[in-house]
Amino acid sequence: MTELFIDLKNVGVTFSGSVDANGLRDWLARRFSDRKHLPAGYKVEALKEVGLHIGQGERVGLIGPNGAGKSTLLKVMAGIYPPTCGTAVTSGHVCPMFEFATGFEMLQSGRDNIRIRALLLGMEPDEIEAKLPEIEAFTELGEFLDYPVKTYSSGMFVRLAFAVSTSINPEILLIDEIMGAGDLRFAAKAKKRMFEFMEQGKILVFSSHSPELLRNFCTRTIWLEHGSVVMDGRTEEVLSGYLQSQQTSQTHQ
């Protein structure tokens, strides 16, 4: 059996004002974000010399303010962003639970999109058809599975993506704030499935602004600020330091 791990050594990611075809959407998002005042040719260091190792069976949380580098770090782990410097090695089948529009055909029905997304995740057609009833039931979308996904709310997107992605028993699951979406009953179902996944001794990396969710899911948490690791340790200890820092910052504002 292959050992599962994520290993980052001195990883840095720098975004610049130049654009290429592969980075067009990200460039546009940055260009029209709160950084739009920056001149052409600017450089933003999203990650700076990040080094960490995540082994099999670990449940790791990521916390930090907006712009800390959490989403960028997840995308490096998923192989979506190559490091500008350093090395990033992941061993195991990775399932990223973000970028929900990716892999969806907006004019096709939810049911057709289950098949499409499952194919992109590496499932065989026969396997997809066998699991289709289970996936459909888990989404609780009912008749909406016959509707084009362009009519879906963000919460419905989450249900569909989560149901398909976790049906393949991924070895490494990367999540960006998914548990905060949807109604409470579906969140409870998703939480139960997450615990079932974690009991299999695989790897979970979960980015969230919620201390409660991190306490529920993660035994280890990494605190990021301005693209750098501030603290990496037991979840309760890291959250204590982070929350105290936030309170101090608010007091001085």
Side-chain angles (χ1 to χ4, degrees), residues 95-107:
C95 180
M97 292 295 295
F98 42 82
E99 300 287 354
F100 290 124
T102 302
F104 282 104
E105 294 292 334
M106 304 304 289
L107 297 178

PDB file of all heavy atoms in Angstrom, residues 95-107:
ATOM      1  N   CYS A  95      -8.526  14.772  -3.758  1.00  0.00           N
ATOM      2  CA  CYS A  95      -9.844  15.258  -4.141  1.00  0.00           C
ATOM      3  C   CYS A  95     -10.025  16.655  -3.562  1.00  0.00           C
ATOM      4  O   CYS A  95     -10.229  16.820  -2.359  1.00  0.00           O
ATOM      5  CB  CYS A  95     -10.928  14.332  -3.604  1.00  0.00           C
ATOM      6  SG  CYS A  95     -12.580  14.891  -4.049  1.00  0.00           S
ATOM      7  N   PRO A  96      -9.920  17.714  -4.395  1.00  0.00           N
ATOM      8  CA  PRO A  96     -10.113  19.076  -3.898  1.00  0.00           C
ATOM      9  C   PRO A  96     -11.588  19.449  -3.875  1.00  0.00           C
ATOM     10  O   PRO A  96     -12.287  19.316  -4.869  1.00  0.00           O
ATOM     11  CB  PRO A  96      -9.343  19.929  -4.911  1.00  0.00           C
ATOM     12  CG  PRO A  96      -9.351  19.126  -6.175  1.00  0.00           C
ATOM     13  CD  PRO A  96      -9.486  17.683  -5.792  1.00  0.00           C
ATOM     14  N   MET A  97     -12.060  19.918  -2.715  1.00  0.00           N
ATOM     15  CA  MET A  97     -13.457  20.325  -2.579  1.00  0.00           C
ATOM     16  C   MET A  97     -13.555  21.847  -2.578  1.00  0.00           C
ATOM     17  O   MET A  97     -13.876  22.490  -1.582  1.00  0.00           O
ATOM     18  CB  MET A  97     -14.040  19.747  -1.290  1.00  0.00           C
ATOM     19  CG  MET A  97     -14.189  18.239  -1.307  1.00  0.00           C
ATOM     20  SD  MET A  97     -15.392  17.688  -2.529  1.00  0.00           S
ATOM     21  CE  MET A  97     -16.881  18.395  -1.870  1.00  0.00           C
ATOM     22  N   PHE A  98     -13.199  22.430  -3.711  1.00  0.00           N
ATOM     23  CA  PHE A  98     -13.373  23.864  -3.912  1.00  0.00           C
ATOM     24  C   PHE A  98     -13.456  24.089  -5.407  1.00  0.00           C
ATOM     25  O   PHE A  98     -13.449  23.130  -6.172  1.00  0.00           O
ATOM     26  CB  PHE A  98     -12.241  24.679  -3.272  1.00  0.00           C
ATOM     27  CG  PHE A  98     -10.861  24.112  -3.464  1.00  0.00           C
ATOM     28  CD1 PHE A  98     -10.146  24.331  -4.623  1.00  0.00           C
ATOM     29  CD2 PHE A  98     -10.268  23.361  -2.465  1.00  0.00           C
ATOM     30  CE1 PHE A  98      -8.880  23.813  -4.803  1.00  0.00           C
ATOM     31  CE2 PHE A  98      -8.993  22.838  -2.620  1.00  0.00           C
ATOM     32  CZ  PHE A  98      -8.294  23.062  -3.789  1.00  0.00           C
ATOM     33  N   GLU A  99     -13.541  25.350  -5.829  1.00  0.00           N
ATOM     34  CA  GLU A  99     -13.754  25.633  -7.255  1.00  0.00           C
ATOM     35  C   GLU A  99     -14.963  24.836  -7.762  1.00  0.00           C
ATOM     36  O   GLU A  99     -14.879  24.057  -8.699  1.00  0.00           O
ATOM     37  CB  GLU A  99     -12.507  25.269  -8.072  1.00  0.00           C
ATOM     38  CG  GLU A  99     -11.254  26.015  -7.680  1.00  0.00           C
ATOM     39  CD  GLU A  99     -11.290  27.466  -8.122  1.00  0.00           C
ATOM     40  OE1 GLU A  99     -12.235  27.849  -8.825  1.00  0.00           O
ATOM     41  OE2 GLU A  99     -10.380  28.209  -7.749  1.00  0.00           O
ATOM     42  N   PHE A 100     -16.127  25.053  -7.132  1.00  0.00           N
ATOM     43  CA  PHE A 100     -17.281  24.194  -7.406  1.00  0.00           C
ATOM     44  C   PHE A 100     -17.770  24.241  -8.847  1.00  0.00           C
ATOM     45  O   PHE A 100     -18.388  23.309  -9.329  1.00  0.00           O
ATOM     46  CB  PHE A 100     -18.427  24.559  -6.457  1.00  0.00           C
ATOM     47  CG  PHE A 100     -18.157  24.167  -5.041  1.00  0.00           C
ATOM     48  CD1 PHE A 100     -18.199  25.116  -4.038  1.00  0.00           C
ATOM     49  CD2 PHE A 100     -17.833  22.870  -4.717  1.00  0.00           C
ATOM     50  CE1 PHE A 100     -17.931  24.759  -2.729  1.00  0.00           C
ATOM     51  CE2 PHE A 100     -17.563  22.501  -3.424  1.00  0.00           C
ATOM     52  CZ  PHE A 100     -17.614  23.453  -2.427  1.00  0.00           C
ATOM     53  N   ALA A 101     -17.523  25.349  -9.544  1.00  0.00           N
ATOM     54  CA  ALA A 101     -17.984  25.429 -10.930  1.00  0.00           C
ATOM     55  C   ALA A 101     -17.131  24.578 -11.862  1.00  0.00           C
ATOM     56  O   ALA A 101     -17.554  24.229 -12.953  1.00  0.00           O
ATOM     57  CB  ALA A 101     -17.988  26.879 -11.402  1.00  0.00           C
ATOM     58  N   THR A 102     -15.908  24.224 -11.412  1.00  0.00           N
ATOM     59  CA  THR A 102     -15.017  23.438 -12.260  1.00  0.00           C
ATOM     60  C   THR A 102     -15.592  22.046 -12.474  1.00  0.00           C
ATOM     61  O   THR A 102     -15.936  21.344 -11.528  1.00  0.00           O
ATOM     62  CB  THR A 102     -13.617  23.324 -11.617  1.00  0.00           C
ATOM     63  OG1 THR A 102     -13.110  24.636 -11.408  1.00  0.00           O
ATOM     64  CG2 THR A 102     -12.684  22.537 -12.515  1.00  0.00           C
ATOM     65  N   GLY A 103     -15.678  21.637 -13.726  1.00  0.00           N
ATOM     66  CA  GLY A 103     -16.172  20.298 -14.024  1.00  0.00           C
ATOM     67  C   GLY A 103     -17.673  20.223 -14.175  1.00  0.00           C
ATOM     68  O   GLY A 103     -18.216  19.158 -14.445  1.00  0.00           O
ATOM     69  N   PHE A 104     -18.363  21.337 -14.010  1.00  0.00           N
ATOM     70  CA  PHE A 104     -19.808  21.352 -14.193  1.00  0.00           C
ATOM     71  C   PHE A 104     -20.156  21.924 -15.559  1.00  0.00           C
ATOM     72  O   PHE A 104     -19.573  22.923 -15.990  1.00  0.00           O
ATOM     73  CB  PHE A 104     -20.495  22.200 -13.120  1.00  0.00           C
ATOM     74  CG  PHE A 104     -20.635  21.513 -11.790  1.00  0.00           C
ATOM     75  CD1 PHE A 104     -19.798  21.853 -10.739  1.00  0.00           C
ATOM     76  CD2 PHE A 104     -21.587  20.540 -11.592  1.00  0.00           C
ATOM     77  CE1 PHE A 104     -19.916  21.227  -9.511  1.00  0.00           C
ATOM     78  CE2 PHE A 104     -21.718  19.905 -10.371  1.00  0.00           C
ATOM     79  CZ  PHE A 104     -20.874  20.251  -9.328  1.00  0.00           C
ATOM     80  N   GLU A 105     -21.104  21.290 -16.232  1.00  0.00           N
ATOM     81  CA  GLU A 105     -21.655  21.794 -17.475  1.00  0.00           C
ATOM     82  C   GLU A 105     -22.956  22.509 -17.125  1.00  0.00           C
ATOM     83  O   GLU A 105     -23.960  21.873 -16.790  1.00  0.00           O
ATOM     84  CB  GLU A 105     -21.902  20.655 -18.463  1.00  0.00           C
ATOM     85  CG  GLU A 105     -20.632  19.977 -18.949  1.00  0.00           C
ATOM     86  CD  GLU A 105     -19.788  20.888 -19.820  1.00  0.00           C
ATOM     87  OE1 GLU A 105     -20.363  21.806 -20.437  1.00  0.00           O
ATOM     88  OE2 GLU A 105     -18.565  20.677 -19.891  1.00  0.00           O
ATOM     89  N   MET A 106     -22.937  23.829 -17.190  1.00  0.00           N
ATOM     90  CA  MET A 106     -24.011  24.624 -16.617  1.00  0.00           C
ATOM     91  C   MET A 106     -25.371  24.394 -17.277  1.00  0.00           C
ATOM     92  O   MET A 106     -26.413  24.593 -16.649  1.00  0.00           O
ATOM     93  CB  MET A 106     -23.649  26.113 -16.685  1.00  0.00           C
ATOM     94  CG  MET A 106     -22.333  26.450 -16.001  1.00  0.00           C
ATOM     95  SD  MET A 106     -22.291  25.938 -14.261  1.00  0.00           S
ATOM     96  CE  MET A 106     -23.433  27.117 -13.539  1.00  0.00           C
ATOM     97  N   LEU A 107     -25.366  23.983 -18.543  1.00  0.00           N
ATOM     98  CA  LEU A 107     -26.640  23.771 -19.233  1.00  0.00           C
ATOM     99  C   LEU A 107     -27.160  22.349 -19.084  1.00  0.00           C
ATOM    100  O   LEU A 107     -28.292  22.053 -19.495  1.00  0.00           O
ATOM    101  CB  LEU A 107     -26.495  24.113 -20.719  1.00  0.00           C
ATOM    102  CG  LEU A 107     -26.142  25.576 -21.027  1.00  0.00           C
ATOM    103  CD1 LEU A 107     -25.981  25.770 -22.532  1.00  0.00           C
ATOM    104  CD2 LEU A 107     -27.202  26.523 -20.483  1.00  0.00           C
TER     105      LEU A 107
END
